[in-house]
Amino acid sequence: MHFDAANLLPILPEIAVLLTAAIVLVVDLYIDERHREVIHGLTLIGLVVAIALTGVVGGGATELVFAGNVVRDPLADLLKGAILVVSLLVFIYARPWLRDRGMLVGEFYMLGLFSILGMLVMVAANSFVTVYLGLELLALSLYALVAFDRDSSRGAEAAMKYFVLGALGSGMLLYGISMVYGATGSVEFGAVAEALATQGMENKVLVFGLVFMVIGIGFKFGAVPFHMWLPDVYEGAPTPVVLLLGSAPKIAAFGLAIRLLVDGLGSLQADWQGMLLILAVLSIGLGNVVAIAQRNIKRMLAYSTISHVGFIFLGLLAGTEQGYAAAMFYTITYAVMATGAFGILIILSRKGFDAERIEDLKGLNERDSWYAAMMALVMFSMAGVPPLVGFMGKLLVLEAVVRIGFVWLAVVAVIFSIIGAFYYLRVVRYIYFDKPEEDAPALASSGGVRVAMSLNGLALLALGVFPATLLALCQSVFGA
C-alpha cells in the first residue's frame, strides 16, 4: 500500500484529536501545578478544531481510504460531529470537579482524548479489523479512567469488573468476527455483505459468528443480560468519568452496531432481528423496573441507560431506513440528556462531597433555580414528556416498530416507559418540593459551566420542539 496524502483528508478529525493528545502529554511534563488549566484549554481547542475539520471534510460522496479499511460517509460525519460536541461538554463540566480534588492532570485529558479517538475510529471503520482497533482503544482508555481516583477502593473495584466483563465482551465480538471471516473470507464490510448475499445462512459457522457478534454489541451497549457491569461502574467510577462513559460511547456503540449489522451482515437482518428483539424487551423491562428501587442516583441513571438502550435496539431491529434514522436520532439525543444529568451531579459536588444519593438533589430549586430547571428538563426528557426531545425520540422509534407490524412490542415499550416515568419524576419532586438540607452550601460554578449547562438543557427543549433539522440529517444518512 503506497502512502498517499489524499488518504489523510477524510481522517483529519482523528489526526486533530491524536495531535491534541500528544501535545497534552508533552506540555504536561513542562508545567507545574499552578498552570494546569493550560491543558484544559488545549484540549478544548483541539476538540473545537476537530469539530471544524469534521465539517470541512464532511459531505459529498462516500470515500474509502487505507485500502478500504476506513470510510468517510454521511454516517461517519454525523456521528463524529455528535461524539466531538458531547465530548466537548464533558471536558467543560469535568474541570471544576477535577480541580477541587487535585486531579486536574494531563493523564485525565490524554486518556479522555484517546477514548474519543477510539470512538472516531469505530464509526469510520469499514472493516472488522478497524472496528476492533477503535473499540479496544476506547475500552482500554476507559478502564484506566474508571480507576483514575487511585485512593478510591470503589473505583478500583469498578475498574476490575469493567475490565473483566469488557474483555469478555471484546473476546466474544472478536470470536464472532473470526467466524464471519472464516465463512466469508474477508474482513471488509462490502466484501462480507457480497459473500453473504450469495451463500445466505446455509453456513452454520455464520450463525455462530452472528450470535457472538450480537453478544459483543450487547456488552458494549450494556443491554440486558449483558448489563452486569453498568450499575457498578457508574456507581464506583469518579463522576466526570461516568459523564464521559455514559454519553459519547453510546453514539460510538450505535456506529458499531450499524457498521457490523447493517453494512456487514445486512442480509442476515431476519436473523439478528429476533436477537435484538429479546435484548430490547429485556432491557426496557428490567431497566425501568430496577431503577425504581435505586437510592443512588448514579445507579438509577445506569438502569435508566439500560432502558434507553432497549429503545435504541427497537429502532435497529425495525430493519428499515426509518428505523435506523430513528435509532440514530434517539442515540444522539440520549447522549445529550446523559451529559446534562451527570453534568448537574458534578455541579452539585464539591471538595470532599460527591452528589450520589437522590436526596442530595433536595431543594435544588432554592439553592439554584436555573440549574434546577435544567435538571428538570433532563429528567422530563428522559421520561419522554412532550415537548422535550426524549418524547420525540421515543415516538420516532415506536413509529418505526409499528410500521413493521410489531404493535405489541410498541405497547410493551410504552407500558414500561410509563412505569419508568416514576423514578424520573421522583427526582423532580426532590428538586422542587423538598427543603434543602441545612448544611447545603451555595453552588459554585464558573461561567463556562453555566453557559454549557444552559445550552445543554435548552438543546433538549429546542430539539424537541424543532426536531426537523437533526431528524433530516439522520434520515439523509440512511436515505429514509
Side-chain angles (χ1 to χ4, degrees):
M1 180 180 127
H2 70 288
F3 182 76
D4 182 7
N7 268 340
L8 295 179
L9 271 177
I11 60 159
L12 280 178
E14 284 91 334
I15 293 174
V17 172
L18 179 62
L19 278 176
T20 310
I23 292 168
V24 163
L25 197 57
V26 175
V27 169
D28 186 45
L29 293 173
Y30 293 103
I31 55 176
D32 55 4
E33 289 291 323
R34 295 192 308 280
H35 301 105
R36 281 279 158 79
E37 304 280 338
V38 174
I39 295 172
H40 180 77
L42 283 173
T43 306
L44 296 191
I45 292 167
L47 286 174
V48 169
V49 168
I51 292 169
L53 287 172
T54 308
V56 170
V57 302
T62 300
E63 298 171 71
L64 289 173
V65 290
F66 295 109
N69 283 305
V70 176
V71 63
R72 202 234 90 250
D73 57 0
L75 175 70
D77 295 337
L78 187 52
L79 291 183
K80 278 183 195 176
I83 287 167
L84 289 165
V85 170
V86 168
S87 305
L88 190 66
L89 284 174
V90 167
F91 282 122
I92 292 173
Y93 294 153
R95 189 189 68 171
W97 195 99
L98 294 167
R99 194 183 49 216
D100 286 349
R101 288 158 184 73
M103 286 192 219
L104 191 70
V105 289
E107 288 80 3
F108 178 86
Y109 287 92
M110 188 206 71
L111 287 167
L113 286 163
F114 274 124
S115 68
I116 293 163
L117 179 62
M119 294 184 236
L120 299 183
V121 171
M122 257 164 89
V123 299
N126 193 44
S127 78
F128 290 124
V129 180
T130 328
V131 153
Y132 194 70
L133 198 70
L135 187 67
E136 281 305 283
L137 183 55
L138 167 65
L140 292 171
S141 308
L142 289 178
Y143 300 150
L145 280 171
V146 171
F148 190 70
D149 182 359
R150 67 178 79 156
D151 301 328
S152 154
S153 56
R154 281 165 62 207
E157 181 196 347
M160 275 310 295
K161 285 178 179 166
Y162 186 28
F163 174 65
V164 173
L165 287 168
L168 192 66
S170 295
M172 296 270 193
L173 187 71
L174 199 54
Y175 192 48
I177 288 171
S178 66
M179 285 183 163
V180 171
Y181 172 61
T184 59
S186 177
V187 286
E188 223 180 297
F189 295 147
V192 169
E194 277 171 31
L196 289 182
T198 53
Q199 59 172 323
M201 279 304 263
E202 283 84 66
N203 198 331
K204 284 289 167 276
V205 177
L206 265 179
V207 187
F208 274 101
L210 176 64
V211 170
F212 279 111
M213 268 185 179
V214 171
I215 290 174
I217 291 170
F219 256 111
K220 291 303 162 194
F221 263 112
V224 178
F226 315 111
H227 66 289
M228 296 77 75
W229 57 275
L230 248 163
D232 293 338
V233 171
Y234 274 38
E235 187 185 4
T239 312
V241 177
V242 184
L243 169 65
L244 178 63
L245 187 77
S247 53
K250 293 288 174 278
I251 304 175
F254 172 80
L256 171 80
I258 290 284
R259 294 286 186 217
L260 294 182
L261 297 180
V262 181
D263 290 1
L265 309 172
S267 53
L268 307 183
Q269 195 258 327
D271 301 280
W272 52 255
Q273 182 180 43
M275 300 180 208
L276 289 187
L277 185 100
I278 297 167
L279 295 182
V281 172
L282 287 175
S283 299
I284 295 175
L286 187 124
N288 280 319
V289 172
V290 180
I292 293 175
Q294 305 304 320
R295 305 307 303 162
N296 180 311
I297 192 157
K298 283 159 82 175
R299 277 188 92 85
M300 187 201 92
L301 286 169
Y303 282 106
S304 109
T305 298
I306 294 168
S307 71
H308 288 292
V309 165
F311 268 96
I312 294 169
F313 279 1
L314 287 186
L316 288 173
L317 69 83
T320 56
E321 278 84 6
Q322 184 207 3
Y324 301 146
M328 187 167 180
F329 182 85
Y330 198 102
T331 310
I332 292 173
T333 52
Y334 169 70
V336 178
M337 291 190 266
T339 316
F342 288 111
I344 291 282
L345 293 188
I346 288 182
I347 291 167
L348 285 172
S349 304
R350 54 186 182 277
K351 196 167 190 167
F353 167 78
D354 271 330
E356 291 203 335
R357 297 171 313 134
I358 298 180
E359 287 80 19
D360 293 335
L361 288 160
K362 271 187 180 173
L364 177 57
N365 187 41
E366 290 180 27
R367 293 169 65 193
D368 192 316
S369 54
W370 182 247
Y371 282 143
M374 292 301 115
M375 188 59 169
L377 281 178
V378 171
M379 287 294 126
F380 281 133
S381 182
M382 281 189 169
V385 177
L388 293 158
V389 73
F391 167 74
M392 205 62 217
K394 283 186 168 60
L395 183 71
L396 293 166
V397 169
L398 293 172
E399 185 195 357
V401 173
V402 169
R403 278 205 183 165
I404 59 162
F406 284 16
V407 179
W408 65 271
L409 188 55
V411 171
V412 168
V414 169
I415 290 170
F416 279 118
S417 291
I418 295 167
I419 295 171
F422 168 76
Y423 58 87
Y424 295 121
L425 299 183
R426 181 172 64 192
V427 173
V428 177
R429 192 203 82 197
Y430 273 116
I431 291 174
Y432 281 98
F433 299 109
D434 283 13
K435 290 269 173 273
E437 289 169 359
E438 266 70 63
D439 55 347
L443 295 182
S445 74
S446 62
V449 173
R450 192 169 278 268
V451 170
M453 194 72 222
S454 311
L455 288 174
N456 196 334
L458 296 174
L460 298 176
L461 190 58
L463 285 169
V465 180
F466 308 110
T469 319
L470 180 57
L471 187 58
L473 280 172
C474 292
Q475 285 171 340
S476 65
V477 168
F478 297 106

